[in-house]
């Protein structure tokens, strides 16, 4: 099975407290010599109106936001199922929020 690609949205097991939820893959694909890790941005249906939240509309997502404050690096096996892929424009909106959050 090929690994996840940047811009894809996957169902991810984030552990007991964080639940299983959709997440956007932000990291580039790992190569054989790399660790099998993936950095994702979690999607939530509980928006708070934060400047770090990005609402995107996609047929495979419930209404909600990607929370740029919720960046997680996880082992690749935690990715359960691919839901779809964001457009380049949607990915750019999330990237901008992540840059704001990290001060980049």
């Amino acid at each position: 099975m090929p690994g996840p690609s940047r811009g894809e949205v996957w169902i991810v097991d984030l552990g007991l407290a964080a639940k299983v939820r959709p997440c956007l893959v932000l990291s580039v694909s790992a190569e054989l010599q790399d660790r099998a890790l993936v950095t994702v941005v979690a999607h939530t249906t509980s928006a708070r109106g934060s400047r770090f939240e990005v609402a995107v509309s996609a047929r495979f997502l419930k209404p909600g936001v990607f929370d740029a404050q919720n960046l997680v690096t996880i082992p690749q096996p935690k990715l359960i199922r691919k839901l779809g892929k964001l457009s380049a424009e949607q990915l750019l909106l999330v990237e901008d929020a992540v840059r704001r959050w990290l001060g980049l």
Side-chain angles (χ1 to χ4, degrees):
M1 178 179 103
S5 295
R6 185 171 168 77
E8 292 178 346
V9 178
W10 285 69
I11 292 292
V12 179
D13 180 0
L14 293 176
L16 185 60
K19 302 189 278 187
V20 173
R21 65 177 64 244
C23 292
L24 170 65
V25 175
L26 269 189
S27 53
V28 297
S29 297
E31 296 183 0
L32 286 178
Q33 70 273 22
D34 300 326
R35 290 177 178 83
L37 298 173
V38 182
T39 299
V40 299
V41 179
H43 186 269
T44 180
T45 56
S46 301
R48 295 178 150 195
S50 166
R51 61 191 165 136
F52 304 111
E53 294 175 343
V54 180
V56 295
S57 177
R59 60 176 170 67
F60 52 83
L61 284 173
K62 292 180 181 175
V65 295
F66 285 102
D67 180 5
Q69 288 183 290
N70 196 354
L71 300 175
V72 184
T73 299
I74 54 171
Q76 195 167 313
K78 294 279 190 179
L79 279 72
I80 299 169
R81 182 178 82 253
K82 180 181 168 184
L83 293 177
K85 187 166 182 155
L86 295 188
S87 70
E89 295 79 18
Q90 291 171 321
L91 178 58
L92 185 59
L93 292 173
V94 178
E95 289 172 339
D96 287 345
V98 169
R99 277 192 284 275
R100 277 194 308 278
W101 169 237
L102 297 177
L104 300 175

